Structure formats: structure tokens, C-alpha cells
């Protein structure tokens, strides 16, 4: 999988992804799926820790920037560090949105909306299935 002509660092075959991920993780991360709102395990999860990519383990978000957006999916107002997340325009379903991908494996995480709280005003709306939480 490529982004702007460059390969993502993690390049696994479709078969490898299928054996690594459960069905829902595969549907979200590798097929740009969206979990049903209010069903994901991290929607109302507010423990202190780190959220990594469920595909490759890259650290993506920290609990300090997680907030309850009421939208039914985990929401963060900023990413953990620069370079771990890639954003690109997604014009599927007749909408122009910003898709959020893991910068390491290219896995689909969710979308970015400019309606978040201060200080960034951004809302990373992320599927629980794309994340793995570790307590800190
Ligand atoms: Fe990843």
C-alpha cells in the first residue's frame, strides 16, 4: 500500500493481515470500514494510557487528549506525536472528509473533523477496532 508514491514502512500481504487481525479489525483497518457507533470497546473508555494501532502496534494517541464527543466513537483532539498518522482526502459516499491512517502500516483509523475542543479544535474520530489500549 502506497501514499503519495511512497510505501508505508509495514508491508504485509493480505493473507498476513487476515491471520493477524480479527474480522472486525480487518474490515476497519484494511477495508476502510466503520464500526457501528456506540459499539466499540473504547468509546466510553477513559483509563490513563496509550492507544496503539491494532494492526502494527505504532503509538497513535494518548489518553490525555481523549474526550467524550457523544458521536459514538473514540475521539481525540490530537495525535500522540508527529509522523505517526497520515491524513488524506476521502471523497467516498459523496462527502469530502479527511481520512486518518496509521503512518506506519497504512491502516484505516477513522476521520478527522474540525469541530473538536480546545486547544486544537480538531476531532480525530477513530474506530475502537483500529486501536489497542495499554495502561500507563
Ligand atoms: Fe499501523
Amino acid at each position: 500500500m502506497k501514499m503519495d508514491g511512497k510505501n508505508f514502512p509495514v508491508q504485509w500481504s493480505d493473507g498476513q493481515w487476515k491471520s493477524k487481525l480479527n474480522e472486525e479489525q480487518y474490515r476497519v483497518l484494511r477495508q476502510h470500514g466503520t464500526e457501528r457507533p456506540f459499539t466499540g470497546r473504547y468509546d466510553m473508555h477513559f483509563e490513563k494510557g496509550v492507544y496503539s494501532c491494532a494492526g502494527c502496534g505504532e503509538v497513535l494517541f494518548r489518553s490525555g487528549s481523549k474526550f467524550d464527543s457523544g458521536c459514538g466513537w473514540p475521539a481525540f483532539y490530537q495525535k500522540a506525536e508527529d509522523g505517526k498518522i497520515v491524513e488524506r482526502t476521502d471523497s467516498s459516499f459523496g462527502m469530502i472528509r479527511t481520512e486518518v491512517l496509521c503512518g506506519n502500516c497504512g491502516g484505516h483509523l477513522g476521520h478527522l473533523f474540525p469541530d473538536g475542543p480546545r486547544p486544537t479544535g480538531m476531532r480525530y474520530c477513530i474506530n475502537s477496532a483500529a486501536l489497542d489500549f495499554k495502561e500507563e
Side-chain angles (χ1 to χ4, degrees):
M1 187 178 174
K2 289 190 176 196
M3 174 78 189
D4 299 332
K6 274 171 49 190
N7 284 320
F8 286 98
V10 170
Q11 293 282 325
W12 288 322
S13 70
D14 197 47
Q16 285 173 303
W17 282 118
K18 275 187 177 149
S19 67
K20 270 187 72 75
L21 304 174
N22 68 35
E23 219 171 284
E24 179 74 345
Q25 288 171 329
Y26 179 83
R27 191 179 71 79
V28 170
L29 284 164
R30 307 314 307 178
Q31 300 187 305
H32 304 260
T34 299
E35 68 198 10
R36 283 187 300 120
F38 306 104
T39 63
R41 61 183 169 160
Y42 298 134
D43 179 25
M44 296 309 285
H45 177 272
F46 295 99
E47 305 300 312
K48 227 179 144 186
V50 169
Y51 293 86
S52 303
C53 174
C56 73
E58 186 72 72
V59 171
L60 301 173
F61 299 99
R62 297 182 191 282
S63 57
S65 64
K66 193 173 188 298
F67 66 101
D68 179 10
S69 69
C71 70
W73 294 276
F76 303 85
Y77 61 74
Q78 73 186 6
K79 55 191 173 184
E81 288 167 48
D82 286 349
K84 303 290 172 79
I85 279 180
V86 169
E87 294 158 18
R88 71 171 174 197
T89 301
D90 169 13
S91 51
S92 64
F93 301 105
M95 296 176 272
I96 304 291
R97 295 179 294 173
T98 301
E99 181 186 12
V100 180
L101 306 167
C102 172
N104 193 42
C105 72
H108 170 81
L109 306 173
H111 290 89
L112 175 60
F113 300 97
D115 59 9
R118 284 193 279 180
T120 63
M122 302 308 273
R123 172 169 61 98
Y124 289 86
C125 182
I126 306 298
N127 290 279
S128 295
L131 299 173
D132 249 334
F133 175 79
K134 274 194 195 72
E135 234 176 282
E136 212 172 40

